[in-house]
Amino acid sequence: MKFALMCSVLALAATAVATPTVSNVAVSPDPLSSGVKVTYKVSEDAVVTVRFFSDGVAIPDEGVTQLVGDICRKVRATSGGEVRTFHWAPDLETWPTSRRFGKISAEVTAWATNAPPLFMAVDLVTKSNILYYASKAALPGGISNELYKTSKMLFRKIPAKEVVWNMDCSPKTDNAQALYTHQVVFSDDYYMAVYQCTQQQSKYIINHPGYAWTGQEDSYLKPCSGIDYASILGNNTTQVPLSGNNRVWNLIKMTGITSLNLPTEAQWEYACRARTNTMWYNGGNWGNATKIGWFNKGGSVGTAPVGTLTPNDFDLYDMGGNVFEYCLDWWVFPYEFEDASVPVRDPLAARPEGCEKRVRRGGGYMNDQRYGNSGWRTDIAYNSTSYDNGFRLACAAIAY
């Protein structure tokens, strides 16, 4: 079975846009917040972020999170005498000297809508409220804040555009399904969810936490699991979200992010590896794998709250262990290529005749570490509601 080209997740990022520029930046005291007010003009629709300086010294990003207004979001281009405005209330704990000011200046950056910042935070409570952050330090509350596991869904941009890489390149294990090394290349970067979708996030999206490991004190932070493929995309045979009461369609309606979908198998593995080619993304040592993944816990222990172990170099948590993650691809085994040395662009496996299985990746809490190998592949019946079935989402790296 040869791979079909993917068109549902990445293609939207290819649209050319004009490069935005910022001008007429003005900083003034803001007596209402005991902070500063900033106005600016921007030549094109863009995502706008800021860095502040005190007497020429950069204020750390973690000290510049109390921002309100036309900042850290997509804004419209200005015209004529129009300006955009935002306010910053300095955080005394992270930057106490900022209240003394000295001379405060601002560096306002406009990001093209097809090349947005590193992080995107999607609000699951307020409709169409999407914020962007240029660094991990700029995330309000830090990347481990419960907000990003409950009322918001946090995405990290994966730098993949035109990178040629070897899929299934781990040192060989006893998994015969992971022995088909081939080259892959992506047309664009993409966003990948930092965490597996949690029960609380699922409740905001579809008013249901999933079916597994609910009712415990910390269940709201555990993965949404025990679900079948149809509850994510609408039915068991689609590769695009269908209208109706399913998780991806509901989230598209809430946010306007039309490219939301499950990641393809290739997207998933590339994001998991985070530029590594070892068995696990923290190396090849069997024992070290337990530092990144929730493995070998058995049916009586269950899943763990997401984000409790070590992330990979793309800041993604639980890419090994906790729950298996559905991918968009149909199960194809073995891989077949006209020439394994020629990179396959944006691969997505179409449905083989009679196939009723989907790809799962990452391993789960009932399995040992080998299942969390970055190259390990396994299949699952598309109507399975196994307690170790979970998911995370991806979307095109464009501004919404």
Side-chain angles (χ1 to χ4, degrees):
M1 173 62 63
K2 296 180 174 61
F3 283 103
L5 290 181
M6 183 189 68
C7 60
S8 58
V9 176
L10 294 178
L12 292 176
T15 304
V17 299
T19 301
T21 58
V22 173
S23 61
N24 297 81
V25 177
V27 180
S28 59
D30 181 6
L32 294 178
S33 66
S34 299
V36 297
K37 172 184 174 181
V38 180
T39 59
Y40 63 92
K41 293 186 175 185
V42 61
S43 63
E44 310 288 339
D45 291 359
V47 173
V48 178
T49 61
V50 66
R51 295 184 70 203
F52 280 105
F53 298 80
S54 178
D55 289 329
V57 178
I59 298 174
D61 284 349
E62 56 266 31
V64 187
T65 58
Q66 304 297 319
L67 295 163
V68 178
D70 297 321
I71 194 68
C72 298
R73 63 176 70 245
K74 182 179 176 181
V75 300
R76 292 182 296 104
T78 54
S79 60
E82 188 179 23
V83 295
R84 299 282 172 252
T85 304
F86 66 90
H87 304 263
W88 171 47
D91 184 340
L92 287 176
E93 291 185 6
T94 55
W95 190 250
T97 60
S98 60
R99 293 268 185 169
R100 305 172 194 169
F101 287 140
K103 182 181 179 181
I104 293 290
S105 58
E107 178 184 273
V108 179
T109 301
W111 304 69
T113 54
N114 66 345
L118 192 61
F119 288 94
M120 177 177 72
V122 177
D123 198 321
L124 304 181
V125 179
T126 304
K127 188 174 182 178
S128 301
N129 186 28
I130 303 169
L131 298 176
Y132 299 87
Y133 302 96
S135 70
K136 183 165 60 174
L139 291 168
I143 195 170
S144 297
N145 193 305
E146 278 195 12
L147 282 174
Y148 306 124
K149 307 171 187 178
T150 53
S151 61
K152 299 180 187 294
M153 187 173 285
L154 184 64
F155 291 81
R156 207 272 201 187
K157 187 160 72 172
I158 306 301
K161 185 174 182 176
E162 299 303 329
V163 176
V164 178
W165 62 287
N166 289 327
M167 189 171 176
D168 289 341
C169 63
S170 293
K172 306 310 179 186
T173 69
D174 59 352
N175 177 19
Q177 299 170 4
L179 305 184
Y180 295 88
T181 297
H182 57 283
Q183 291 190 325
V184 170
V185 62
F186 295 121
S187 297
D188 289 287
D189 300 337
Y190 56 97
Y191 277 124
M192 189 82 157
V194 168
Y195 299 108
Q196 295 169 337
C197 181
T198 66
Q199 294 184 28
Q200 185 61 56
Q201 288 171 328
S202 180
K203 288 180 71 175
Y204 278 120
I205 295 168
I206 202 172
N207 198 30
H208 198 288
Y211 291 95
W213 307 109
T214 60
Q216 299 164 314
E217 184 178 354
D218 58 357
S219 288
Y220 70 106
L221 294 173
K222 291 186 174 186
C224 168
S225 59
I227 58 173
D228 63 5
Y229 185 93
S231 72
I232 303 171
L233 285 182
N235 72 30
N236 286 323
T237 60
T238 185
Q239 288 182 309
V240 295
L242 300 179
S243 61
N245 190 32
N246 62 77
R247 288 171 172 83
V248 175
W249 185 257
N250 284 3
L251 191 54
I252 288 172
K253 289 193 299 180
M254 292 167 61
T255 64
I257 303 176
T258 56
S259 64
L260 279 166
N261 211 330
L262 292 171
T264 66
E265 185 178 11
Q267 284 179 308
W268 190 96
E269 184 174 324
Y270 182 79
C272 175
R273 290 190 178 282
R275 302 192 183 97
T276 65
N277 60 7
T278 49
M279 196 172 296
W280 297 277
Y281 59 72
N282 69 338
N285 184 286
W286 184 277
N288 283 346
T290 57
K291 297 178 181 178
I292 64 170
W294 189 249
F295 299 110
N296 284 321
K297 302 306 176 185
S300 62
V301 175
T303 55
V306 301
T308 56
L309 298 174
T310 304
N312 67 11
D313 286 348
F314 288 159
D315 304 305
L316 306 181
Y317 290 81
D318 299 299
M319 293 298 285
N322 219 1
V323 290
F324 280 96
E325 299 178 20
Y326 281 110
C327 293
L328 197 57
D329 301 59
W330 287 93
W331 176 252
V332 175
F333 177 74
Y335 290 130
E336 293 181 14
F337 302 95
E338 293 178 2
D339 184 347
S341 66
V342 176
V344 181
R345 183 172 291 275
D346 302 332
L348 173 63
R351 185 182 189 181
E353 185 176 355
C355 182
E356 296 183 354
K357 295 181 177 181
R358 296 286 185 171
V359 174
R360 292 193 310 174
R361 286 297 199 112
Y365 67 92
M366 291 190 288
N367 307 111
D368 63 38
Q369 293 95 309
R370 83 189 77 179
Y371 289 84
N373 180 340
S374 299
W376 188 284
R377 311 178 67 231
T378 189
D379 60 300
I380 188 73
Y382 55 43
N383 60 354
S384 169
T385 55
S386 172
Y387 273 24
D388 60 359
N389 284 350
F391 72 102
R392 77 177 73 214
L393 296 179
C395 66
I398 60 178
Y400 301 89

